[in-house]
Amino acid sequence: MSSFQNWSEHTAHVKQSFGKLGQKHPKMLEAYKALGTAAAAEALDHKTRELIALAVAVTTRCESCISVHAEEAAKAGATESEIAGALATAIALNAGAAYTYALRALEAVEQQK
């Protein structure tokens, strides 16, 4: 079976690259980590946050985010069904966004007449 890519290698590369960037620019990495720490302090448990992160990664088309958060969701105990549910939500949201932007496009066409 073919794959889009080797996600384990990709995840390792992303983490290594983050580390290198953090060594060169520690304040930037500290600020980024602070965002994650602040999010973790809220009411959602780790698994739920990772499911949301994975769905958002899909909607923002961030392959590195998909890679890291897929690994974290699995580590947090997310089931295939829970992951599929989160991804279905991302798909539905993207469809909704496309639908509402289609309304804008139709409005733009109408105004050009």
Side-chain angles (χ1 to χ4, degrees), residues 15-35:
K15 289 180 178 182
Q16 180 183 26
S17 298
F18 260 68
K20 286 180 182 177
L21 181 64
Q23 288 173 351
K24 289 182 179 180
H25 306 281
K27 288 185 179 183
M28 186 186 313
L29 185 59
E30 284 176 31
Y32 178 76
K33 284 182 176 180
L35 290 170

Side-chain angles (χ1 to χ4, degrees), residues 57-109:
V58 168
T59 64
T60 58
R61 298 177 193 96
C62 177
E63 287 194 354
S64 297
C65 302
I66 290 169
S67 181
V68 170
H69 293 292
E71 178 184 67
E72 288 299 316
K75 283 181 183 177
T79 66
E80 184 176 338
S81 180
E82 290 170 326
I83 291 168
L87 297 177
T89 301
I91 292 166
L93 186 63
N94 276 330
Y99 191 86
T100 60
Y101 269 84
L103 297 174
R104 291 171 178 263
L106 289 171
E107 182 180 86
V109 170

Side-chain angles (χ1 to χ4, degrees), residues 33-46 49:
K33 284 182 176 180
L35 290 170
T37 300
E42 296 302 321
L44 299 175
D45 62 83
H46 181 65
R49 285 194 316 277

